[in-house]
């Protein structure tokens, strides 16, 4: 018998004028609902957060939520009909559902364009300020810097190249905090930017770095570069002073790494140790709420974000502004479609124009990459009822209360110099937006979430507000506040007062849930490579690469000496090692994957002298990037790691609301003909939070490892070698000749050699003319493509970024990387050994302690030396030096067409 309910028991209508309602629970097909005296019968099962019609909607008529259009009916939609568009049908098709879906969509994503009526524009009045201000306990800095809610020592990598340095330095200093009670943490800021020539995001990168340095939550900051990057400390310091940032008001030092990695870690450690007593002397004092600058963000949004959690932030931000503080609303593309609401109260017409200009610029930038804002909603968004960008935007805009005036529209990371409500230009990618808000001066973050996003920022506390009680109860250890109580009858005023009190307590030092969990992430607005719309068609229609090996010149010496190189490997693995990999399916699960891997290794999973048995690969992708080629490249690279010969066991860890969730990866593996049944799957959100998902991951690996038998050994030769060769700059003819010989020896014996397209080897005549049979040979492999055939391959590389190149190269399945160093040793890979070598005397003298092999003397013996250290590495008798020291990094490329959404 079909169930029957009163409307308020199972649904919500955001505003009385809406013609569709939101289901507050899953409702089966045939369910009867009594709505305002009429009986509705659902034609299909409606998932929680999805919508059904409460009025008849004619073809061509707008579907309304919050009295704003989010689509147009393609056919008659009757009361009780499930409303669904093409995007959600496609998303649900890759999910495992136990009920039928409509065969076709019944509405399309048509949104009328917004036009600002400047002739009739009326500036809005500000809300009356409160006559007296409450206080919180904060860290008073200079007048220019404001008041901090935390007192952190920040280790800031100026570009991606020093990211592993600041992370390793922070690890060294972990134990110091026990002696300094007023120091809230020593945190590394490692990011992906500034590592390629002429970055398009240079201005916002410098603005973000500058804003981080003077943020009031920073007690002291060490800023680190090599001095040779496209963005340097010298450039940053000049920017700080030219734009009048109060850098002299913060304890700081610029450090350029010269010489060995270990020596510079000692230098950095000495600097920070000397600072700690001074930072510890800074104490909390009573401070006016007018010093609070709050960031308003949402992530893992659902259909209830705009009903409960976001209006709650609107209530809080209105109060903060009336007390004389500032609020910062970001995510440009997540306000497209909500312009009528955002601009209903604005301080000046110039502010309104600037807001609309940001939106138009965002659309233009996305179009350069063959994308649009429609690519913003993630798979988790759609699954939880946000059908398109307009519907997502209408709900996201509720972080501004209807009574609040929009006072300012500012650039990404632009300092907030006045109180009031600000809009800041940024992508919808949560972490990229938050970085800009922190750089603009925010000292506390409010983060609303429907699915249960667990992300945190290193030196600004994050309060996570959940839209529904069910999700809050599932993730109670990771979340800070339950806005779902509004759906159950609590008034917004009462809910707001409770959340406001929590804000004051947190600003005064109470740890947020994320701070207790001990993980955080940073991501800047990533460089957008493509700026020429005329190149778009050629990039979108680039020919598919064959994956077939490239013909090279024969080497007849191999046949006469087939056993010149042998090593032992596991007979059952057909690889020299077998790690257990925890692979996050997006940036938001990366740090949790890392915590779990560290915990498992501490429990004894690692093997002394070997690459650690448990490895995680935190990265920055899977959320907020456009679909199409960039998403295909991402999936291809991820599958390359899942199937890597050095990976014995692999588990995918999803956040739960990303575009590239577990079901997405299963679908991708099936499309590539790969059996996913041997792969583990876990979900931070759906499995109940960090502790529960950690237990699930531990249990899965315990089962896999208990089934492992003893590994037999066998002796093999050159035919078993799978190596990648990359170079950092110029290659001498002597080195080119020897690497050409090595390449032909390995390939001739039946092994594998992969050279990235951006390698200097391919432009060195001594290598090219001795290896290739013709000039202008195109790549045979796409970036990150898993090798199907041994032989010689060239892998396409859309950027010059060292770590992005290494990440793609390792995903092809090479088991060892030879890196020829011409400028300085660079970050190594997390589990594919990378041997760094040079023939340059100045490099040998400066970086001798970081190099694995020095090529001196007679070049004819270099191959023997290279093969010997390869043998030692694969037999676990040698570990690459920079890997041992922790100079390790991992970064996926977005290519030429990737852009943040």
């Amino acid at each position: 018998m079909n169930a029957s309910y009163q409307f308020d028991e199972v649904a919500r209508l955001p505003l009385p004028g809406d013609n569709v309602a939101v289901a507050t629970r899953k409702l089966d097909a045939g369910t009867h609902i009594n709505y305002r005296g009429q009986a509705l019968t659902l034609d299909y099962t409606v998932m929680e957060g999805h919508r059904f019609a409460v009025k008849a909607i004619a073809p061509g008529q707008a579907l309304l939520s919050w009295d704003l259009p989010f689509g147009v009916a393609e056919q008659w939609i009757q009361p009780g009909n499930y409303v669904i568009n093409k995007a959600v049908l496609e998303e649900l098709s890759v999910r495992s559902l136990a009920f039928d879906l409509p065969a076709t969509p019944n509405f399309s994503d048509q949104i009328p364009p917004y036009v600002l009526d400047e002739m009739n524009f009326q500036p809005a009045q500000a809300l009356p300020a409160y006559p007296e201000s409450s206080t919180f306990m904060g860290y008073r800095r200079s007048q220019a810097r404001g008041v901090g809610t935390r007192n952190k020592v920040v280790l800031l990598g100026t570009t991606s190249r020093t990211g592993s340095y600041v992370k390793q330095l922070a690890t060294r200093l972990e134990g110091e905090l026990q002696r300094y009670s007023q120091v809230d943490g020593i945190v590394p800021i490692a990011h992906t930017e500034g590592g390629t020539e002429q970055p398009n995001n240079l201005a916002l990168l410098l603005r973000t770095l500058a804003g981080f340095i003077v943020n009031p939550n920073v007690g002291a900051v060490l800023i680190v570069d090599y001095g040779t990057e496209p963005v340097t400390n010298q450039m940053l310091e000049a920017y700080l002073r030219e734009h009048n940032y109060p850098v002299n008001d913060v304890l700081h030092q610029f450090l350029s790494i010269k010489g060995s990695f270990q020596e510079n870690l000692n230098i950095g450690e000495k600097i920070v140790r000397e600072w700690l007593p001074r930072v510890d002397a800074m104490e909390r004092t009573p401070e006016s709420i007018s010093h609070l600058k709050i960031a308003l963000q949402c992530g893992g949004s659902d259909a209830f974000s705009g009903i409960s959690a976001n209006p709650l932030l609107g209530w809080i931000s209105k109060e903060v502004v009336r007390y004389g503080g500032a609020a910062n609303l970001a995510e440009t593309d997540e306000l497209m479609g909500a312009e009528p609401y955002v601009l209903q109260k604005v301080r000046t017409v110039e502010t309104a124009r600037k807001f609309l200009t940001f939106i138009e610029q965002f659309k233009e930038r996305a179009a350069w990459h063959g994308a649009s804002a429609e690519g913003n909603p993630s798979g988790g968004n759609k699954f939880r009822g946000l059908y398109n960008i307009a519907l997502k935007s209408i709900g996201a805009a509720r972080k501004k209360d209807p009574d609040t005036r929009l006072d300012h529209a500012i650039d990404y990371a632009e300092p907030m110099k006045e109180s009031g409500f600000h809009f800041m230009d940024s992508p919808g990618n949560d972490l990229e937006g938050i970085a800009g808000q922190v750089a603009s001066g925010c000292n506390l973050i409010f983060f609303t979430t429907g699915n249960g996003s667990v992300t945190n920022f290193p030196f600004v506390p994050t309060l996570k507000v959940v839209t529904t009680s069910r999700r809050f109860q599932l993730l109670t250890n990771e979340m800070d506040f339950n806005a779902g109580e509004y759906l159950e009858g609590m008034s917004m005023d009462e809910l707001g007062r409770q959340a406001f009190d929590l804000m004051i307590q947190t600003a005064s030092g109470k740890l947020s849930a994320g701070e207790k969990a001990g993980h955080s992430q940073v991501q800047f607005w990533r460089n957008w490579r493509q700026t020429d719309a005329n190149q778009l068609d050629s990039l979108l229609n680039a020919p598919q690469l064959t994956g077939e090996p490239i013909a090279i010149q024969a080497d007849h010496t191999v046949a006469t000496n087939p056993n010149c190189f042998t090593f032992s490997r596991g007979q059952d693995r057909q690889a020299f090692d077998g790690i257990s990999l925890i692979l996050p399916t997006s940036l938001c699960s990366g740090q949790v994957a890392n915590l779990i891997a560290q915990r498992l290794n501490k429990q004894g999973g690692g093997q002394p002298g070997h690459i650690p048995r448990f490895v995680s690969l935190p990265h920055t992708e899977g959320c907020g990037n456009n679909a199409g080629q960039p998403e295909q490249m991402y999936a291809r690279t991820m599958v390359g790691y899942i199937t890597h010969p050095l990976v014995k066991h692999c588990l995918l860890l999803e956040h739960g609301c990303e575009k590239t969730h577990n079901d997405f990866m299963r679908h991708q593996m099936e499309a590539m003909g790969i059996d996913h049944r041997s792969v583990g799957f876990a979900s931070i959100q759906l499995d109940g939070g960090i502790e529960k998902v950690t237990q699930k991951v531990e249990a899965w690996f315990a089962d896999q490892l208990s089934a492992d038998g003893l590994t037999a050994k066998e002796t093999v030769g050159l035919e078993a070698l799978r190596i990648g060769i990359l170079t950092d700059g110029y290659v001498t003819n002597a080195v080119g000749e020897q690497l050409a010989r090595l390449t032909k020896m390995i390939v001739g014996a039946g092994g594998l050699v992969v050279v990235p397209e951006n390698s200097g080897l391919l432009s060195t005549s001594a290598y090219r003319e001795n290896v290739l049979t013709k000039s202008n040979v195109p790549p045979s492999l796409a970036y990150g493509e898993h090798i199907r055939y041994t032989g010689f391959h060239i892998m396409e590389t859309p950027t010059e970024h060292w770590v992005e190149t290494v990440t793609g190269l390792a995903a092809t399945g090479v088991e060892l990387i030879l890196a020829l160093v011409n400028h300085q040793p660079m970050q190594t890979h997390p589990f594919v050994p990378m041997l760094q070598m040079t023939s340059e005397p100045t490099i040998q003298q400066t970086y001798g302690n970081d190099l694995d092999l020095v090529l001196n003397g007679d070049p004819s013996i270099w191959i023997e030396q290279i093969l010997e250290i390869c043998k030692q590495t694969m037999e676990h008798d040698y570990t690459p030096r920079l890997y041992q020291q922790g100079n390790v990094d991992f970064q996926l490329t977005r290519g030429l067409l990737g852009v943040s959404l």
Side-chain angles (χ1 to χ4, degrees):
M1 187 176 184
N2 293 327
S4 181
Y5 300 98
Q6 294 298 312
F7 177 81
D8 291 342
E9 294 180 283
V10 295
R12 281 274 175 161
L13 203 65
L15 286 177
D18 295 348
N19 52 17
V20 298
V22 184
T24 56
R25 50 168 291 182
K26 178 187 169 188
L27 300 171
D28 294 332
T31 295
H32 303 299
I33 300 173
N34 187 340
Y35 174 72
R36 295 182 180 176
Q38 65 172 320
L40 310 179
T41 302
L42 300 183
D43 58 347
Y44 284 91
T45 295
V46 178
M47 298 170 60
E48 180 186 51
H50 288 233
R51 284 165 164 78
F52 61 90
V54 295
K55 300 176 183 177
I57 307 171
Q61 184 178 348
L63 281 70
L64 302 175
S65 266
W66 294 276
D67 280 343
L68 290 175
F70 65 90
V72 172
E74 294 186 344
Q75 61 196 49
W76 271 103
I77 301 176
Q78 299 297 337
N81 285 173
Y82 178 25
V83 296
I84 192 166
N85 60 350
K86 181 182 178 183
V88 172
L89 273 177
E90 290 176 347
E91 166 59 27
L92 297 182
S93 69
V94 302
R95 303 277 188 166
S96 300
L97 302 177
F99 49 85
D100 293 331
L101 296 169
T104 58
N106 55 12
F107 82 91
S108 58
D109 304 330
Q110 299 178 41
I111 310 299
Y114 177 81
V115 179
L116 177 65
D117 184 1
E118 294 194 17
M119 293 292 294
N120 297 308
F121 178 85
Q122 295 291 324
Q125 296 298 310
L127 290 170
Y130 287 126
E132 296 180 1
S133 180
S134 299
T135 62
F136 71 100
M137 299 296 291
Y139 293 97
R140 174 165 285 278
R141 312 300 185 185
S142 66
Q143 184 175 356
R145 291 185 64 207
V147 175
T149 64
R150 294 294 182 269
N151 189 33
K152 302 251 188 175
V153 175
V154 172
L155 312 175
L156 177 62
T158 304
T159 73
S160 60
R161 297 187 187 179
T162 48
S164 54
Y165 173 89
V166 295
K167 287 187 285 189
Q168 192 62 26
L169 181 57
T171 299
R172 275 186 169 213
L173 293 162
E174 282 178 351
E176 291 300 303
L177 294 178
Q178 297 175 2
R179 300 166 52 195
Y180 302 101
S181 60
Q182 292 296 320
V183 180
D184 292 320
I186 302 172
V187 295
I189 303 297
H191 57 91
T192 60
E193 300 310 290
T196 56
E197 297 300 323
Q198 298 179 331
N200 292 318
N201 63 348
L202 176 60
L204 67 84
L205 175 57
L206 289 171
R207 245 190 345 260
T208 307
L209 292 167
F212 276 20
I213 290 169
V214 301
N215 185 285
N217 284 15
V218 176
V221 56
L222 180 67
I223 307 116
V224 186
D225 76 345
Y226 279 102
T228 59
E229 302 95 324
V231 182
T232 63
N233 282 353
Q234 184 178 9
M235 294 168 62
L236 177 56
E237 185 172 13
Y239 183 90
L240 282 157
R241 302 197 184 282
E242 179 185 350
H243 293 85
N244 299 314
Y245 282 84
V247 62
N248 291 336
D249 296 345
V250 59
L251 185 60
H252 73 280
Q253 184 167 332
F254 292 93
L255 172 66
S256 290
I257 296 176
K258 307 293 183 185
S260 76
F261 192 73
Q262 187 68 37
E263 289 171 357
N264 281 275
L265 284 174
N266 294 337
I267 293 171
E269 185 175 355
K270 183 175 184 294
I271 293 169
V272 175
R273 286 181 184 275
E274 290 176 353
W275 282 346
L276 287 173
R278 296 172 62 184
V279 179
D280 191 56
M282 304 170 185
E283 296 183 350
R284 291 185 183 270
T285 54
E287 303 293 342
S288 166
I289 291 178
S290 64
H291 291 294
L292 285 180
K293 297 180 179 180
I294 61 172
L296 310 174
Q297 271 283 337
C298 55
S301 301
D302 68 358
F304 305 106
S305 294
I307 298 174
S308 61
N310 288 342
L312 175 61
L313 264 58
W315 193 100
I316 294 168
S317 60
K318 179 174 69 174
E319 294 295 292
V320 169
V321 168
R322 293 186 70 184
Y323 275 116
N328 183 309
L329 174 66
E331 302 176 293
T332 304
D333 52 333
E334 295 190 9
L335 293 175
M336 296 176 186
E339 296 94 337
Y341 176 80
V342 175
L343 298 180
Q344 65 184 354
K345 287 189 177 182
V346 189
R347 181 181 184 183
T348 64
V349 70
E350 289 78 16
T351 298
R353 283 197 207 112
K354 194 170 183 181
F355 171 79
L356 294 173
T357 298
F358 285 140
I359 286 181
E360 290 308 309
Q361 290 174 343
F362 198 104
K363 290 178 179 177
E364 180 182 14
R365 189 181 303 115
W368 293 339
H369 297 77
S372 73
E374 276 302 326
N376 170 283
S378 69
N381 291 153
K382 296 171 188 174
F383 188 73
R384 299 267 287 163
L386 295 180
Y387 292 164
N388 55 31
I389 187 58
L391 195 55
K392 187 175 183 180
S393 295
I394 295 167
R398 301 288 145 170
K399 293 193 284 290
K400 185 182 86 71
D401 189 87
D403 294 334
T404 299
R405 181 182 72 175
L406 176 62
D407 295 301
H408 311 282
I410 62 175
D411 280 308
Y412 182 89
E414 180 181 345
M416 293 186 292
K417 297 179 180 179
E418 301 179 54
S419 62
F421 194 95
H422 298 66
F423 166 76
M424 186 197 75
D425 185 30
S426 84
N429 184 304
D430 307 331
L431 295 181
E432 294 183 31
I434 287 172
Q437 292 174 305
V438 169
S440 74
C442 290
N443 51 13
L444 192 142
I445 301 162
F446 275 101
F447 193 109
T448 67
T449 179
N451 289 276
S453 294
V454 300
T455 54
N456 306 285
F457 190 84
F459 61 85
V460 178
T462 302
L463 290 174
K464 290 186 283 292
V465 180
V466 191
T467 63
T468 62
S469 295
R470 280 191 294 274
R471 187 61 58 144
F472 181 81
Q473 290 158 6
L474 181 66
L475 298 166
T476 186
N477 291 330
E478 277 65 61
M479 301 295 111
D480 294 281
F481 195 81
N482 178 20
E485 292 189 50
Y486 174 74
L487 300 173
E488 293 153 14
M490 182 179 289
S491 73
M492 187 58 71
D493 286 340
E494 176 58 28
L495 197 68
R497 284 190 288 269
Q498 292 182 14
F500 196 88
D501 288 344
L502 177 61
M503 176 186 72
I504 299 300
Q505 294 172 35
T506 304
S508 300
K510 178 180 179 180
L511 295 181
S512 68
E515 289 176 305
K516 293 175 185 176
H519 64 92
S520 59
Q521 293 159 287
V522 178
Q523 175 59 33
F524 294 1
W525 195 347
R526 287 199 70 174
N527 183 21
W528 49 92
R529 302 280 299 177
Q530 165 72 349
T531 58
D532 185 353
N534 295 323
Q535 295 180 353
L536 182 58
D537 285 343
S538 61
L539 291 171
L540 288 173
N541 298 300
Q544 293 291 315
L545 302 181
T546 65
E548 299 282 346
I550 296 168
I552 66 171
Q553 299 179 35
D555 186 347
H556 301 292
T557 63
V558 174
T560 60
N561 191 13
N563 297 315
C564 60
F565 167 78
T566 60
F567 71 97
S568 298
R569 69 175 183 188
Q571 192 174 40
D572 60 333
R573 287 285 305 134
Q574 299 298 298
F576 72 86
D577 206 351
I579 66 161
S580 295
L581 177 64
I582 305 173
L583 185 58
T585 66
S586 70
L587 75 168
C588 294
S589 55
Q591 292 307 314
V592 177
N594 205 38
L595 288 173
I596 297 173
Q598 291 173 1
R599 175 165 154 169
L600 286 166
N601 281 323
K602 287 179 181 178
Q603 291 173 356
Q607 302 172 18
H610 293 194
I611 296 175
R613 185 171 187 80
F614 290 95
V615 176
S616 64
L617 298 177
H619 57 83
T620 61
E621 302 310 301
C623 287
N625 192 10
N626 52 315
Q629 281 189 12
E631 197 168 87
Q632 294 166 10
M633 180 166 55
Y634 169 81
R636 181 175 63 236
T637 308
M638 292 285 282
V639 171
Y641 280 101
I642 294 169
T643 57
H644 197 283
L646 293 181
V647 175
K648 190 170 187 179
H649 306 296
C650 178
L651 179 138
L652 296 181
L653 179 67
E654 70 172 11
H655 189 210
C657 55
E658 59 268 61
K659 288 184 176 183
T660 52
H661 44 73
N662 283 344
D663 282 338
F664 171 89
M665 292 307 304
R666 285 190 188 95
H667 184 74
Q668 294 296 318
M669 293 171 70
E670 289 172 358
M672 297 181 193
I674 296 167
D675 188 355
H676 60 73
R677 288 176 294 182
S678 63
V679 176
F681 296 91
S683 174
I684 297 170
Q685 293 173 358
L686 297 181
D687 289 327
I690 295 173
E691 188 56 39
K692 288 183 180 178
V693 81
T694 299
Q695 293 169 4
K696 179 176 180 178
V697 172
E698 289 177 340
W700 186 86
F701 277 113
D703 288 343
Q704 307 308 306
L705 296 173
S706 66
D708 289 347
L710 294 175
T711 300
K713 296 287 186 179
E714 66 174 350
T715 299
V716 291
L718 286 172
E719 76 285 351
L721 273 183
R722 303 184 185 99
I723 70 165
I725 307 177
L726 77 159
T727 59
D728 171 26
Y730 174 73
V731 180
T732 66
N733 281 331
V735 173
E737 287 175 2
Q738 297 309 311
L739 291 179
R741 283 186 56 211
L742 179 65
T743 297
K744 291 191 290 185
M745 288 172 61
I746 294 170
V747 173
L752 169 69
V753 175
V754 183
V755 177
E757 183 184 17
N758 62 9
S759 173
L761 273 181
L762 298 176
S763 58
T764 304
S765 59
Y767 184 85
R768 185 181 64 250
E769 294 172 6
N770 279 295
V771 172
L772 300 176
T773 59
K774 57 183 180 180
S775 60
N776 299 322
V777 177
S780 55
L781 292 174
Y783 176 90
E785 180 181 357
H786 184 73
I787 292 286
R788 290 172 289 160
Y789 309 103
T790 57
F792 179 74
H793 289 276
I794 298 173
M795 183 193 76
E796 68 173 351
T797 48
T799 73
E800 308 84 29
H801 196 285
W802 174 275
V803 179
E804 290 183 1
T805 298
V806 170
T807 297
L809 185 60
T812 66
V814 299
E815 298 180 25
L816 191 67
I817 296 173
L818 303 179
L820 185 67
V821 177
N822 188 61
H823 294 134
Q824 66 207 26
M826 299 282 271
Q827 300 102 309
T828 62
H829 190 269
F831 71 80
V832 177
M834 189 165 85
L835 298 167
Q836 303 201 50
M837 56 190 185
T838 191
S839 63
E840 293 296 315
T842 56
I843 300 298
Q844 297 173 22
Q845 182 177 3
T846 306
Y847 299 106
N849 292 333
D850 294 343
L851 296 168
D852 299 295
L853 183 61
V854 172
L855 301 175
N856 280 329
D858 182 3
S860 66
I861 65 171
W862 290 354
I863 291 178
E864 182 180 345
Q865 292 175 337
I866 292 171
L867 289 176
E868 176 57 29
I869 197 169
C870 288
K871 171 185 169 70
Q872 292 176 21
T873 302
M874 291 187 289
E875 292 185 341
H876 305 293
D877 293 325
Y878 180 82
T879 301
R881 289 184 174 182
L882 281 181
Y883 179 88
Q884 281 187 312
Q885 296 176 54
N887 196 0
V888 177
D889 210 348
F890 184 85
Q891 181 172 319
L892 294 159
T893 186
R894 286 187 177 174
L896 297 176
L897 289 179
V899 65
S900 299
L901 294 176

